[in-house]
Amino acid sequence: MSVVAGAVAVDRARALVGTRFRLQGRSREQGIDCLGLVLAAHGLPAGSGRRDYALRGVTRGEIEAGLVPWFRRIARTRVVPGDVLVLWAGPGVLHLGVSSGDGMIHADVRHGVVERPGATPWPVVAVFRRRTRGI
């Protein structure tokens, strides 16, 4: 992913700040969840990701398998704006966010899409970057 592509992803994610949370949501009008935010930020079709998941219980392997068609895993120490953060938000709860460079943008269950400055409140368990070739 180029610096420009990362900046575009961050701009798209920021444009969704204030959108209400809706599990499996994929649009500003109907609400959005963390996967919907990642898809929108990276300009992927709303129907690209699975929709048969619950708020809890999705495994890291399932998340990674869902991201692999469009993203490649990178080292957690190499995060740049636009990268997808896979976060451990608690027992049985994995969450996605978009790195903004100095924080992250994510879909919060209580507050909708928000931008959070500084370090993430949850441990980052994996980082993915948008593929630029071979999609």
Side-chain angles (χ1 to χ4, degrees):
M1 178 171 64
S2 70
V3 172
V4 172
V8 168
V10 171
D11 287 347
R12 287 178 179 153
R14 282 186 174 137
L16 291 167
V17 168
T19 301
R20 72 181 180 92
F21 179 88
R22 178 173 168 242
L23 184 62
Q24 301 176 10
R26 297 290 185 269
S27 71
R28 173 178 276 294
E29 298 75 31
Q30 295 182 348
I32 203 161
D33 69 1
C34 61
L35 178 56
L37 175 66
V38 165
L39 295 174
H42 287 279
L44 294 166
S48 300
R50 59 184 272 205
R51 288 184 178 236
D52 61 343
Y53 54 88
L55 208 51
R56 298 179 185 276
V58 177
T59 69
R60 184 170 159 183
E62 289 173 310
I63 287 177
E64 292 183 7
L67 292 173
V68 165
W70 303 284
F71 300 89
R72 63 184 170 87
R73 190 171 178 169
I74 61 163
R76 289 181 289 175
T77 57
R78 302 193 60 202
V79 177
V80 298
D83 284 346
V84 177
L85 308 175
V86 180
L87 306 141
W88 186 77
V93 183
L94 290 168
H95 186 47
L96 302 175
V98 176
S99 171
S100 62
D102 59 351
M104 74 168 181
I105 302 155
H106 71 111
D108 183 275
V109 172
R110 291 184 200 97
H111 306 290
V113 178
V114 295
E115 184 165 5
R116 179 180 212 112
T120 65
W122 310 288
V124 176
V125 297
V127 177
F128 285 80
R129 184 165 295 155
R130 181 81 156 96
R131 293 181 188 275
T132 54
R133 296 181 200 173
I135 297 174

